[in-house]
């Protein structure tokens, strides 16, 4: 298996297309292994997780991934039970945890937190979402989902709808899509458009169109990537309530999609995808979450193999 040659997973921008493909190939390989073969890959290794923000899928899929390749996990997902309640700094927490484990998974509300952790840790750091910046492992499983469900990424029309201003999964996905020949539609209310500085950077590498009405592109899309309105990122809750429910993907929308188009969502969802859509042939968000286990198992194996 090829080496990844990346020590820390901080930004999807640190990946080349070849490195993305190394992770996807490893995920395919691991998914086909027997229990005995798979559980020998990281036997004796320990994953540490420090989650300063809530998480269900990311934390559980990392724990499940590590267990599936023979390793174990320890850490905290509630700062009320950690020494941060006593005022311990992020730097000290990372240094202490790095002394106990082989790789550290960090989710933190501050931009730059994961890169800072990587600078002070002598063990690999994986960014499990930092502030409003990025969520690189989500982007890996998002691209992997598209490849598995559509057979390719190149040549597709991809719509990304919702809170594009605050959604860190959106930025990581866009940075990953730079490596593919795609057309992207960015669909959002004016006040939740993608941040201007990102538009400037992305515009050099990817073809995209900003619109406010999904009706303008729904029949052209091969992939519709839906995101929730990020309530926790709003300083004005009245503004959040105005934006909530701006877009709801229901059977009316689904009925105008291509027959083989897929709908994705990084989850959790609120009211932006109707439960009626779950039973349609377009829904792929639960499969998308399941792919996270294999992608993260592959990533852990590659990182720990490179660092051993």
């Amino acid at each position: 298996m090829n080496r990844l040659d990346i020590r820390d997973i901080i930004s999807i921008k640190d990946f080349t297309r070849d490195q993305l493909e190394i992770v996807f190939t490893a995920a395919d390989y691991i998914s086909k292994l027997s229990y005995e073969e798979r559980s020998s890959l990281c036997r004796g290794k320990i994953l540490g997780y420090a989650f300063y923000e809530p998480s269900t899928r990311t934390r559980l899929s990392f724990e499940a991934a590590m267990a599936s390749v023979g390793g174990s996990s320890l850490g905290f997902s509630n700062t009320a039970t950690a020494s941060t309640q006593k005022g311990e700094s992020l730097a000290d927490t990372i240094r202490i945890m790095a002394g106990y484990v082989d790789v550290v998974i960090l989710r933190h509300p501050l931009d730059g937190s994961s890169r800072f952790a990587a600078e002070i840790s002598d063990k690999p750091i994986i960014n499990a979402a930092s502030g409003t910046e990025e969520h690189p492992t989500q982007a890996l499983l998002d691209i992997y989902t598209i490849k598995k469900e559509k057979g390719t990424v190149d040549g597709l029309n991809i719509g990304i709808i919702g809170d594009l201003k605050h959604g860190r999964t959106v930025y990581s996905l866009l940075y990953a899509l730079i490596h593919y020949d795609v057309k992207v539609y960015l669909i959002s209310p004016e006040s939740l458009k993608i941040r201007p500085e990102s538009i400037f950077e992305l515009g050099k590498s990817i073809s995209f169109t900003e619109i406010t009405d999904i009706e303008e592109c729904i029949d052209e899309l091969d992939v519709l990537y839906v995101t929730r309105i990020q309530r926790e990122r709003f300083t004005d809750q009245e503004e959040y309530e105005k934006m909530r429910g701006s877009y709801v993907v229901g059977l009316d929308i689904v009925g105008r999609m291509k027959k083989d188009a897929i709908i994705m969502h990084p989850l959790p969802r609120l009211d932006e995808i109707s439960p009626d859509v779950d039973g349609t042939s377009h829904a792929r968000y639960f499969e998308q979450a399941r792919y996270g286990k294999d992608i993260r198992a592959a990533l852990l194996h590659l990182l720990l193999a490179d660092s051993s």
Side-chain angles (χ1 to χ4, degrees):
M1 191 177 298
N2 292 331
R3 292 174 62 90
L4 188 58
D5 290 327
I6 295 178
R7 178 187 180 273
D8 305 293
I9 308 301
I10 306 302
S11 169
I12 202 69
K13 290 185 282 187
D14 297 333
F15 284 76
T16 64
R17 177 160 174 165
D18 285 346
Q19 287 169 322
L20 293 175
E21 293 300 327
I22 287 171
V23 178
F24 301 151
T25 299
D28 286 340
Y29 168 77
I30 288 174
S31 69
K32 295 178 175 65
L33 293 178
S34 67
Y35 171 79
E36 291 77 13
E37 292 170 324
R38 183 169 177 147
S39 62
S40 68
L41 295 177
C42 292
R43 185 170 293 142
K45 300 292 187 179
I46 304 173
L47 176 152
Y49 57 87
F51 278 69
Y52 291 77
E53 289 185 316
S55 172
T56 300
R57 279 148 301 280
T58 302
R59 180 176 62 83
L60 291 180
S61 68
F62 264 117
E63 288 192 72
M66 193 56 161
S68 75
V69 291
S72 57
S73 303
L74 58 84
F76 63 87
S77 58
N78 183 348
T79 55
T81 64
S83 288
T84 53
Q85 283 293 100
K86 302 175 184 178
E88 183 174 66
S89 67
L90 173 61
D92 283 359
T93 297
I94 293 299
R95 288 190 182 101
I96 293 299
M97 182 171 283
Y100 300 149
V101 304
D102 298 289
V103 58
V104 177
I105 316 299
L106 175 65
R107 170 169 290 189
H108 198 279
L110 293 181
D111 290 2
S113 52
S114 289
R115 198 165 296 281
F116 169 72
E119 291 173 357
I120 62 173
S121 172
D122 61 354
K123 301 292 173 58
I125 299 290
I126 299 179
N127 177 6
S130 54
T132 59
E133 292 178 312
E134 281 196 66
H135 193 345
T137 65
Q138 180 69 47
L140 285 168
L141 75 91
D142 289 343
I143 298 294
Y144 186 64
T145 300
I146 296 172
K147 282 178 65 71
K148 296 293 281 187
E149 297 295 329
K150 298 295 296 179
T152 184
V153 180
D154 290 313
L156 299 182
N157 293 330
I158 300 174
I160 306 177
I161 186 171
D163 186 349
L164 309 188
K165 179 179 180 180
H166 303 108
R168 52 199 174 195
T169 62
V170 169
Y171 293 91
S172 286
L173 177 57
L174 286 169
Y175 293 136
L177 287 172
I178 282 173
H179 299 294
Y180 299 90
D181 177 21
V182 295
K183 183 175 182 180
V184 176
Y185 293 90
L186 301 175
I187 311 156
S188 70
E190 285 291 334
S191 61
L192 296 179
K193 290 172 64 173
I194 194 167
R195 297 192 291 269
E197 64 272 19
S198 297
I199 285 290
F200 176 76
E201 183 177 2
L202 289 164
K204 302 174 184 177
S205 308
I206 195 169
S207 172
F208 68 86
T209 302
E210 292 186 275
I211 57 178
T212 59
D213 188 352
I214 192 173
E215 299 290 347
E216 293 183 33
C217 66
I218 189 60
D219 58 345
E220 298 180 37
L221 299 181
D222 301 293
V223 178
L224 178 61
Y225 189 94
V226 185
T227 66
R228 68 184 174 90
I229 306 297
Q230 305 269 314
R231 178 177 58 187
E232 65 274 24
R233 307 296 175 194
F234 280 74
T235 55
D236 184 345
Q237 288 304 300
E238 286 189 13
E239 184 63 21
Y240 164 74
E241 291 298 333
K242 290 179 185 177
M243 292 295 101
R244 183 179 178 181
S246 296
Y247 300 102
V248 177
V249 177
L251 294 179
D252 56 333
I253 295 292
V254 170
R256 293 195 286 280
M257 298 181 74
K258 293 180 180 179
K259 289 185 177 180
D260 61 347
I262 64 172
I263 300 172
M264 298 170 59
H265 194 306
L267 302 177
R269 68 170 163 183
L270 300 180
D271 52 8
E272 60 276 3
I273 298 180
S274 168
D276 295 341
V277 175
D278 297 355
T280 70
S281 62
H282 301 279
R284 291 294 189 279
Y285 27 91
F286 296 122
E287 289 84 353
Q288 180 184 355
R290 286 194 287 271
Y291 285 133
K293 178 182 172 181
D294 285 339
I295 279 290
R296 287 170 174 133
L299 199 56
L300 289 168
H301 172 52
L302 290 166
L303 282 182
L304 293 173
D306 281 357
S307 64
S308 60

